[in-house]
Amino acid sequence: MRLPTSPLLSLALLACLASEQATARSLAELNSRAPVQPRRTDSILIDPAAQPNLPSAGAAEKAASSVGLNLDDIQGDILIGMKKKRELFFFFSITDAKKFKAKLNKEILPILTTTTQLLSVSKQPVTALNIAFSQSGLTALNITDSLGDPAFAGGQLKDAANLGDPGTADWVPQFVGTKIHGVILFASDTVNNCNNELTKLKRTLSNTIKEVYSLQGAARPGNQEGHEHFGFLDGISNPAVQGFSTPLPGQSVVSTGSILVGEEGDNLIDSRPAWAKDGSFLVFRQLKQLVPEFNKFLTDNPIRIRGLTPKQGSDLLGARMVGRWKSGAPIELSPRVDNPTLGADRNRNNNFTFAVPGQDVANSTDQTRCPFSAHIRKTRPRADLGTPEDSAHHIMRAGIPYGPEVTSREASSKKTSVERGLAFVCYQSNLAAGFQFLQRVWADNVNFVHRGVGVDPIIGRATGSPANAPRVIGGLDPRNASRPTTLTTDFVVSQGGEYFFAPSLSAIRNTLSV
Ligand code: N7H
């Protein structure tokens, strides 16, 4: 090739050639690395109108930088909430720690999904992947630092009685013992994607781990998307986390450190090992739900109020047990019939307290709108404990339903024959203030928020009581709040679980995998 005589032209041509060569080189490099993943056009996440929406990647980045939070270092599931379309939980034990650490560093770390990645569809991988370790898992990895959380250190099995579980006869056998060292979460829009990624991962980790157990979760189909198996819309009242999202009216606001260890607001910040920063304690509970039995109880015991049909009376009883209608509308704002427009309005569906104007909260006996025992009042009493609301016990719920829809045979026999329920997941920086507190101190306590109101009818059980022991619940009848209702079935049955710690990516890189 003849070179041009003009020095300017030759410079331009050389630059052009160099850039073409660079492009060719980078394409070749790209091709020699991982196969190009198909681009995602559809989100991994659901977005029901009633749930707080996620911030855009830009807004989250701006909020995060204002508090010095690095969303690229925080595993994606922690701040996202109950929004996955499909999620597979894979529980494993480590059989060769040295080889596992090498794989963790080289093969798993690069494919872990960060918070930033989940916030925009174009950055989402085909299947998102997160990892968390139990105390026995950290021990297997030779991590000797204490994370400063006794419940985590002891494991969930030790906590079973404390949480109100009537022994462990109903537990999935694999959760009994300390065999589970970790859990890998796969989230995608199809079960196939989750399974394909699991197959790849098992190949990658072969000879370093053993599969212990797995559970596939899925958002319910059609217009039940976002609803749990009893039919109620879920994930409405997760808190807004400072440095991440902007609160909606009435939404609780928590400090970054309520959810993330080592951040501002983590009350044990000084005693945490440095590497634990920006990790979070993950509670996993497999909670079986007896849906036909729950429905039968509602059908058999409608609240009889003039103007309501028996079906409406049954719906009202269910709504009073939960504190919200199936649409998500709070009964505090719509006390007699469902109001789907209110339920779907994220700007209004959290904007309430249970305070009655003119009544002293501490001595209030008024349950005409919402019973003291209702699930959402037990787990977030709002102004019942005074204002401003104490945010010490807020958690980030991130679970997903599992199991099939109720079959027509089950519906007609009013008996569960196929297991379904909630793969309950929540994140917090302190188990004793978060999940453990909500379950033990509030939901299972017959005297919270007032003496004798009974346990939470959805998840509450008096500690030490046998399975299906009668549970006497106050306040479910709005015409006569002192009339107790006795439940003789546990509609939610704990199948056990484990406590995990979901570390930051840098903790995995610099500490857990070396
Ligand atoms: Fe609950 N349910 O369908 O009845 N939950 N929950 N939960 N839950 C909530 O407000 C349910 C469980 C909390 O801030 C809603 O997002 C079921 C455990 C908290 O106002 C519904 C199961 C724990 C809140 C359900 C189950 C909690 C909450 C309303 C088990 C903790 C927010 C939707 C199978 C120990 C309260 C919403 C607030 C809300 C149901 C489990 C805690 C519909 C079926 C184990 C903190």
Side-chain angles (χ1 to χ4, degrees), residues 134-145:
S134 66
Q135 175 62 69
S136 62
L138 292 182
T139 307
L141 293 178
N142 210 12
I143 304 293
T144 51
D145 295 325

Side-chain angles (χ1 to χ4, degrees), residues 82 228-238 252 285 287-289 321-322 324-325 328 350 352 354 375-377 379-380 382 389 393-395 397 421-422 424 426 434-436 438-439 443 456 458-459 492:
M82 307 184 74
E228 51 67 57
H229 276 295
F230 291 144
F232 296 85
L233 190 62
D234 211 349
I236 303 168
S237 31
N238 259 336
S252 56
R285 293 272 276 173
L287 299 175
K288 175 161 91 176
Q289 291 176 256
M321 290 165 78
V322 173
R324 287 188 185 270
W325 296 94
N350 250 319
F352 64 96
F354 305 108
H375 176 59
I376 67 158
R377 195 166 185 173
T379 52
R380 184 186 169 199
R382 299 182 185 236
E389 184 183 359
H393 307 299
H394 290 316
I395 54 177
R397 287 173 297 130
L422 182 67
F424 177 86
C426 72
F435 165 74
Q436 196 194 41
L438 294 182
Q439 184 70 55
D456 175 330
I458 304 295
I459 60 162
V492 170

Side-chain angles (χ1 to χ4, degrees), residues 24 88 95 110 122 142 152 172 232 234 255 283 308-309 338 418 451 455 469 507:
L88 173 63
T95 50
S122 60
N142 210 12
F152 171 76
V172 170
F232 296 85
D234 211 349
S255 61
V283 172
L308 293 189
T309 63
D338 197 352
V418 197
R451 180 154 286 281
V455 298

Side-chain angles (χ1 to χ4, degrees), residues 55-65 71 116 119-120 123:
S56 68
E61 196 189 319
K62 202 164 154 210
S65 68
L71 296 178
T116 311
L119 292 178
S120 53
K123 285 196 183 137

